[in-house]
Amino acid sequence: MQRVTDEASAMNKRIHYYSRLASPADRALIAPDHVLPAPDEIYVYSPLGTAFKIDSCTDGYGKNSSIVTIFMIWNTMMGTSILSIPWGIKQAGFTSGIILILLMGILTLYCCYRVVKSRNMIPLIDTSDWEFPDVCKYYFGSFGQWSSLLFSMVSLVGAMVVYWVLMSNFLFNTGKFIYNFVHGINVTEIVPGTNESNKVICPGAARDNPPQNGSVTFLSGNNTGFELFEEWWDKSRTVPFYLIAVLLPLLNLKSPSFFAKFNVLGTVSVVYLVFLVTVKAAHLGIHLEYNWFTENEFFVAEFRILFPQLTGVLTLAFFIHNCIITLLQNNRNQENNVRDLSVAYFLVGLTYLYVGVIIFASFPSPPLSKECIEQNFLDNFPSNDIMSFVARIFLLFQMMTVYPLLGYLARVQLLGQVFGNVYPSVFHVLVLNIAIVGAGVAMARFYPNIGGIIRYSGATCGLAFVFVYPSLIYVISLHRAGQLTWPALIIHIFIILLGLANLIAQFLL
């Protein structure tokens, strides 16, 4: 891949909105000639963020088979929210969680259909290169244009904040593992946990009064070096700041195209997480007890009032609406779009269900309570767990290569829209990047809760792109065509109200 040129207007036309945790989506997924070396190479962007190159998958005219289209949609939707699905199921209750994953998948799929159809209902205008934000601008004018930018920035910055929190987490645990291994330090976590070889811990139990780094060492002799390491290698007080030295300079690059070459790490990370979950469950066994509306010491109720926390996470987990038109318009057989989109949604929902249900069901209760399931389920495994260490290494390296891409897309959208130039000056870019990095550091320091960040940002951007705009545009289109009926109007008003209730509930529960 040659370096992206500095032509701001051309790049701003080519690169558009991120999907799911705001992964980058190329304006036409068939990358332009000035970006890629060969016309038969297609770069799409995975939800965990990396570019995924597809060679020899097209028919020679930039069109993809149904298999490739389905995989691209799955690859784009699968994001970091997969780490919070088990926690979301715990918040909603096991039975309620399963039902909500199925219902939210169906609802967001229906809204996705409305997005795809909305562009086709615009008469007498060539919309072949339009994405959904362009459709919003057509129907709502400058309000649609700027509100689309606002909600897109919410998803982008929200994604970057989540990434910073996760990178701080993974870097802390990785550094801790390496230091202890190199120095032969035997560490026992001072948190409740199981005693088996496949140890599971409950970090939340010690959160109100945590010891230094949550661990104690058994050493013979002087342990001053370890105490110094514990002081300077702290998950929230120091490690989030160390990342600045690496990532802030990368954000200021005019083109981050080099990082797009790490193109399979997103898919590998998801596959490895599924493998990890399967192996852990095989060793831990199933621990379920059905308490429909009451809780006990070890099990949560099957139905809980906190269920909107899961719907907020799921809004982002199933979010692909702002780039689905482009993904599907490159499908070789356009008559299969509905089928391929449905299959892709089914596979995404199945992946979330598998990871969420298996982690929840295998969590060892007793001796631990299901309430111990963390917002990032990897935190339920100690830092010296080998499989979790490998997962954190994968995710850390992958996210550090994705983060500059996320920052670049934020720059393209905001500065390109406001100044007409994606790199108006070093000062403009530096101010924007410092603000974004500052938000990430602040959240990693004071609110390192990825489930909360995901559900707030997901419910906010989802309100616009998933619930309100698709429904309003569809109703307006039917009205202009004289085809609007009362049942259709009532259904889509109900969908809008659901999206609004989903957002409000995030701040009440």
Side-chain angles (χ1 to χ4, degrees), residues 208-249:
D208 292 336
N209 187 25
Q212 186 76 358
N213 268 352
S215 60
V216 63
T217 61
F218 299 92
L219 298 171
S220 58
N222 194 344
N223 62 354
T224 303
F226 181 81
E227 292 174 349
L228 187 63
F229 171 77
E230 292 266 282
E231 180 180 351
W232 288 97
W233 195 257
D234 186 273
K235 184 186 293 186
S236 61
R237 289 189 304 225
T238 61
V239 172
F241 294 91
Y242 297 156
L243 288 170
I244 297 176
V246 178
L247 294 175
L248 184 57

Side-chain angles (χ1 to χ4, degrees), residues 67-296:
I67 294 295
V68 172
T69 299
I70 291 169
F71 176 76
M72 284 165 51
I73 296 172
W74 176 89
N75 199 41
T76 305
M77 291 178 70
M78 290 302 306
T80 51
S81 51
I82 193 174
L83 298 172
S84 293
I85 295 295
W87 168 82
I89 291 178
K90 181 257 294 185
Q91 295 299 93
F94 185 57
T95 301
S96 179
I98 294 175
I99 294 173
L100 286 174
I101 292 175
L102 297 175
L103 291 180
M104 284 295 292
I106 294 171
L107 178 59
T108 51
L109 173 59
Y110 175 81
C111 293
C112 215
Y113 289 150
R114 298 279 72 85
V115 169
V116 174
K117 196 169 183 179
S118 63
R119 189 186 67 170
N120 299 332
M121 298 181 71
I122 298 176
L124 306 177
I125 297 178
D126 180 13
T127 60
S128 58
D129 64 341
W130 283 24
E131 251 297 345
F132 188 57
D134 301 303
V135 178
C136 293
K137 181 179 179 181
Y138 171 82
Y139 279 98
F140 305 114
S142 59
F143 173 80
Q145 176 185 4
W146 289 102
S147 61
S148 295
L149 174 64
L150 172 64
F151 287 111
S152 182
M153 289 302 296
V154 167
S155 67
L156 270 171
V157 175
M160 297 182 75
V161 168
V162 169
Y163 271 45
W164 201 278
V165 174
L166 286 172
M167 287 186 294
S168 301
N169 181 309
F170 297 148
L171 180 60
F172 167 77
N173 283 287
T174 300
K176 188 176 177 181
F177 176 92
I178 293 174
Y179 182 89
N180 293 341
F181 179 79
V182 169
H183 292 83
I185 298 174
N186 181 21
V187 176
T188 300
E189 306 282 345
I190 308 182
V191 292
T194 59
N195 295 320
E196 293 80 7
S197 56
N198 285 277
K199 188 176 179 63
V200 177
I201 61 175
C202 183
R207 197 162 289 147
D208 292 336
N209 187 25
Q212 186 76 358
N213 268 352
S215 60
V216 63
T217 61
F218 299 92
L219 298 171
S220 58
N222 194 344
N223 62 354
T224 303
F226 181 81
E227 292 174 349
L228 187 63
F229 171 77
E230 292 266 282
E231 180 180 351
W232 288 97
W233 195 257
D234 186 273
K235 184 186 293 186
S236 61
R237 289 189 304 225
T238 61
V239 172
F241 294 91
Y242 297 156
L243 288 170
I244 297 176
V246 178
L247 294 175
L248 184 57
L250 298 180
L251 285 179
N252 293 309
L253 296 175
K254 284 194 173 183
S255 168
S257 57
F258 166 77
F259 299 101
K261 296 179 180 180
F262 299 93
N263 48 36
V264 298
L265 292 179
T267 302
V268 170
S269 299
V270 174
V271 172
Y272 182 78
L273 284 176
V274 172
F275 172 74
L276 181 150
V277 165
T278 304
V279 172
K280 292 294 184 183
H283 286 95
L284 294 171
I286 301 301
H287 304 267
L288 288 176
E289 179 179 304
Y290 296 96
N291 301 287
W292 296 105
F293 299 102
T294 59
E295 303 182 16
N296 63 36

Side-chain angles (χ1 to χ4, degrees), residues 19-20 29 44-45 47 66-78 112 319-320 323-324 327-328 331 337 340-345 348:
S19 69
R20 298 272 324 203
L29 289 193
V44 297
Y45 291 87
S66 288
I67 294 295
V68 172
T69 299
I70 291 169
F71 176 76
M72 284 165 51
I73 296 172
W74 176 89
N75 199 41
T76 305
M77 291 178 70
M78 290 302 306
C112 215
F319 182 56
I320 196 174
C323 70
I324 189 59
L327 285 165
L328 288 178
N331 195 0
N337 278 348
D340 295 345
L341 181 60
S342 300
V343 171
Y345 257 84
V348 170

